[in-house]
Every structure is written in structure tokens, then in C-alpha cells.
């Protein structure tokens, strides 16, 4: 390699090492947490809302969640293709942060409205339609926001910082959500329907759920506008698209953009770390969604104290928030792979313990769930870094960098998990003989404990084995990849200047 190329290589490596500041990481985390807040309504309360407020049978609820999960998964692919091929005025990625959140808000708000003027068949169709369309629009801004990460980062340290700030922001808002959401629902329903909070006010009607979804949705829109403004200039396609838009306004003929690298599902399958990472994240979301969707049932029917569901979720999310801070220095020390594996192991052991002792009392159950959340947020804290490492690996191996497609596959995780967890919990409740409003019994309590514990425990055990043998991108390997990519980039710049 020439001296000129070597000098450029050193400069390139230095630039990427200092590309992501703490302030930028904080802004990114604050922007992403607002979607988490709005989406928590779906994760925590939608199953309960469908059966207890809308009156759907548990099997119908499970079918609704399975159908919507599959539908959303399909439309994630469509969204990724559109983002890759349609570059809007303010950049390939950045533009969607402004356009998609309002449409998402309107559709998903409708899933927390009880259309009493419809029969059960039409009501079921209503929920499926708005959930799938809302999920479609959310795919645009989530793919765009996550695709920014590999664009602005090149080292494992950069990816760890952005990944941890996103996770910390998400866990912080989950703590606040868990603390205020159920009390707010009970208070609103108490005012609207004049039912004391201690007398199953959560079942009195949809008002509390609808108002809370409205508030969190508005906050989400405002914060994505702020994020859109803050990342001005970060999207590398922004200058191109804005110049093309200006040329059109001047009446000039603008040629079509050249098609980028075509990376399809086959290429994704060839990228084993990306495939294994995708599988592990699906497992994490299945476990998390099972716990969240079953919590209201367990505390209502097994423990007879629905208010403790808010206590459990608050405690679990505080524990998860602590885990994101604990895992950050660990990930910097031992690497993303080892930290993620530790998270899977902790989560698996915790859910096995919950199965063994969870039914003995509320506090034992809560402690075990908190321990599982600690492990899951070791995974959550390194998730985006793990994904971005897999993208860097694919670029290093094949020279293909279609970030939107690859990052979009990780948006499948909550969609697929929503379908699987919804079906398992819905049909699981039916299998143990649950009927809305039924009297509590020891058999019903143990059945619900089995559902909330065994599904995550088995899933985590499978994920640990798969990730240990299939995801081999340790810190040493990623250091080599970063150096090689920087050297290639420097060589290209040197060749262009000669």
C-alpha cells in the first residue's frame, strides 16, 4: 500500500473512533425512547384490552395477535424495499422520521378504541386492520432510525455507545411507564365510569387505555420531530436528495438515482452472525412479550391484586435500567458477544427459578421476573451493537452494505414475537380453561404461572445454544474487521486522488 494510502488509512481510523460523542448518543437515546413509551401500551395492555374490554375470546385474541404479527412482518419487508429505493427530499433515512410517526399514531390509537357499534367479527377485523397498518408505518421510522447507527459508526466502541444509550433511554421510559400507566388507567376509569380503583376499575371501559395511548402518541410525534432536526446532516444521502429537489424546483431534468447494492434474503442467510442475532432477538421479544401480556392476568386471577402488576413492572424495569448501565463497561471490557451471552444465561436461569418458586407468593414471583429483566437488558443493551457488527461483517466479507434491508430484518423480531407470544398465551389461556371473569383457583393460578415462566425459559435455553455456536464475532475479530474496512476506504480515496 502506498504511503499516501497508509496516511489516509490512519486518518480514517481516527475519524471513526471519534465519530460518536456522548451528547449524540444521549440525543439518539432520548429520541428512540418515545416510541418505546407508545409501544408499551401494546406490549403491556393490548391482550388484556382485547379480552377484558372488547370481549374477544382468548383464542380469538391469540389469533388476532398471530395474524397481526405475521402481517406486520410482511410489511416490514415492503418498508425496507421502499426505503432502499425511494429517497425522499431530506435523505434516504432522515425523511421517514418526520413522515411516519403521525400515521403510526393514528392507526395504533384505534387499537385502543372499543368499537361498540360493531359485532365481534367486525371488531376483530377492525383491530387486525389498524394494528397491521400502524405496524407498517412504524417500520419506516424504526428502520430509518436503526439504519443511522451503522452509517455513523465504524468501531465496536461507537456501536456499544449508541446501543447502550438507546437501551438506557428505553428502560428509563419503561420504568416511568410501569409506575404511572396502570394507576393512570385506574384513575381515569374511576372518574369516567365512577368505579373505585380497587374494584376492577381497569375493566370498567376503554377510556383509561385510550387516553393514555393518546398522550404517549403525541409525545412520540413531538420527540421524533426533535430527533429529525437534531440529526440534520448525519444522513449521508441528505445532500444528494436536497440538491435533486432543488434542481426539480428550478425545472431541471433530474436523472434517476442509480440502484444500490441489492441484498436479498439469500444474502441475509449467508450472513450467519446476522441470522443468529435475528433469532436470538426474536427469542428475547417472545419472552418479554409473554411476561408483559400475562402480567395483568397473573396478578388479577392468580394473586388477586391487580395493583401489584404495576409494582412488578416498575421493579422489573428499574432492574433492567440498572442492567443497561452495568452491562456497558462489561461490554467495553469483554465485548458485545460475551455480554449478550451472559444476558441470555441469566434470563434462562431466572425463569426456571420463577417456575419453581413463583407460585409461592407475589414477592418470590416479582424477584424472579426482575432477575430475568436484568438478563434481558444485558441483551437489550448490546442489541444494536450486535446487529451493527453483523452488518460490518457482511460488508467486510462481501462488500455489500444495504443497511436498510439488514436492519429491517431486526424489525421482524417484535413482529414475529408478537405473533408467536400472542398465539402461545391466547391458546395457552384457553388450554387451562380460562374464561374472562371466572373465579380464581389454585389450578388456574398454577396454569398462568406455567405459561408466563415456561415459554421464556425454554426459549432462552434454545437461544443460548444457538448464539454460543453461531455468533462468533468477538472483540478481536471486530478489531480486525474495522481495520480492514478503514484500509479499504483509504485505498479507494487514494486511488480517486491519483
Amino acid at each position: 500500500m502506498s504511503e499516501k494510502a497508509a496516511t489516509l488509512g490512519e486518518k480514517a481510523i481516527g475519524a471513526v473512533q471519534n465519530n460518536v460523542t456522548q451528547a449524540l448518543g444521549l440525543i439518539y437515546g432520548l429520541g428512540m425512547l418515545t416510541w418505546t413509551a407508545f409501544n408499551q401500551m401494546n406490549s403491556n395492555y393490548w391482550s388484556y384490552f382485547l379480552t377484558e374490554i372488547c370481549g374477544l375470546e382468548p383464542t380469538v385474541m391469540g389469533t388476532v395477535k398471530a395474524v397481526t404479527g405475521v402481517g406486520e412482518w410482511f410489511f416490514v419487508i415492503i418498508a425496507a424495499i421502499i426505503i432502499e429505493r425511494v429517497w425522499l427530499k431530506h435523505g434516504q433515512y432522515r425523511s421517514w422520521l418526520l413522515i411516519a410517526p403521525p400515521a403510526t399514531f393514528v392507526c395504533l390509537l384505534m387499537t385502543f378504541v372499543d368499537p361498540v357499534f360493531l359485532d365481534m367479527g367486525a371488531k376483530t377485523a377492525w383491530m387486525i386492520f389498524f394494528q397491521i397498518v400502524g405496524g407498517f408505518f412504524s417500520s419506516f421510522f424504526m428502520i430509518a432510525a436503526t439504519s443511522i447507527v451503522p452509517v455513523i459508526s465504524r468501531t465496536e466502541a461507537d456501536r456499544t455507545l449508541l446501543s447502550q444509550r438507546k437501551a438506557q433511554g428505553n428502560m428509563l421510559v419503561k420504568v416511568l411507564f410501569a409506575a404511572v400507566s396502570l394507576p393512570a388507567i385506574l384513575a381515569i376509569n374511576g372518574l369516567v365510569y365512577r368505579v373505585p380503583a380497587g374494584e376492577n376499575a381497569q375493566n370498567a371501559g376503554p377510556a383509561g387505555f385510550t387516553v393514555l395511548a393518546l398522550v404517549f402518541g403525541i409525545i412520540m410525534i413531538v420527540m421524533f420531530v426533535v430527533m429529525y432536526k437534531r440529526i440534520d446532516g448525519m444522513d449521508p444521502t441528505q445532500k444528494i436528495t436536497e440538491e435533486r429537489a432543488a434542481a426539480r424546483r428550478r425545472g431541471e431534468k433530474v436523472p434517476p438515482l442509480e440502484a444500490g447494492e441489492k441484498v436479498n434474503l439469500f444474502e441475509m442467510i449467508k450472513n450467519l452472525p446476522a441470522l443468529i442475532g435475528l433469532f436470538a432477538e426474536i427469542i428475547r421479544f417472545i419472552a418479554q412479550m409473554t411476561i408483559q401480556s400475562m402480567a395483568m392476568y397473573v396478578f388479577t386471577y392468580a394473586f388477586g391484586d391487580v395493583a401489584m402488576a404495576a409494582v412488578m413492572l416498575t421493579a422489573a424495569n428499574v432492574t433492567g435500567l440498572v442492567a443497561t448501565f452495568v452491562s456497558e463497561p462489561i461490554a467495553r471490557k469483554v465485548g458485545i458477544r460475551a455480554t449478550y451471552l451472559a444476558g441470555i444465561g441469566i434470563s434462562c436461569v431466572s425463569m426456571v427459578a420463577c417456575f419453581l418458586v413463583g407460585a409461592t407468593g407475589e414477592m418470590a414471583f416479582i424477584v424472579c421476573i426482575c432477575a430475568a429483566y436484568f438478563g434481558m437488558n444485558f441483551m437489550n443493551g448490546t442489541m444494536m451493537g450486535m446487529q451493527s457488527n453483523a452488518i460490518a461483517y457482511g460488508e467486510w466479507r462481501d462488500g455489500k452494505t444495504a443497511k436498510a434491508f439488514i436492519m429491517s430484518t431486526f424489525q421482524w423480531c417484535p413482529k414475529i414475537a408478537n405473533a408467536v407470544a400472542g398465539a402461545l398465551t391466547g391458546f395457552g389461556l384457553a388450554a387451562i380453561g380460562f374464561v374472562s371473569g371466572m373465579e380464581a383457583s389454585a389450578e388456574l393460578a398454577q396454569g398462568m404461572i406455567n405459561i408466563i415462566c415456561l415459554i421464556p425459559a425454554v426459549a432462552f435455553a434454545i437461544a443460548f445454544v444457538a448464539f454460543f455456536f453461531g455468533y462468533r464475532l468477538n472483540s478481536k475479530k471486530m478489531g480486525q474487521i474495522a481495520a480492514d474496512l478503514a484500509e479499504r476506504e483509504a485505498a479507494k480515496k487514494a486511488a480517486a486522488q491519483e
Side-chain angles (χ1 to χ4, degrees), residues 3 24 46 48 50 74 87 152 224 282 287 309 313-314 321-322 379 387 395 417-418 425 495:
E3 183 178 348
L24 177 57
W46 199 43
Y48 192 86
L50 291 176
F74 172 77
W87 293 15
I152 66 175
F224 264 90
I282 291 171
L313 288 172
T314 302
L321 178 61
V322 171
M379 300 167 70
Q387 298 168 0
E395 181 180 357
N418 187 46
T425 55

Side-chain angles (χ1 to χ4, degrees), residues 397-461:
R397 190 191 66 180
D398 300 325
K400 295 184 177 181
T401 60
K403 299 175 181 66
F405 178 84
I406 297 175
M407 294 304 276
S408 76
T409 62
F410 286 91
Q411 299 305 315
W412 299 352
C413 300
K415 316 300 184 183
I416 296 173
N418 187 46
V420 175
L424 290 174
T425 55
F427 287 96
L429 286 170
I432 64 174
F434 170 74
V435 178
S436 179
M438 70 183 296
E439 291 293 325
S441 67
E443 293 77 14
L444 179 66
Q446 187 59 56
M448 289 184 171
I449 293 293
N450 292 347
I451 294 171
I452 201 171
C453 296
L454 287 180
I455 293 173
V458 172
F460 281 130

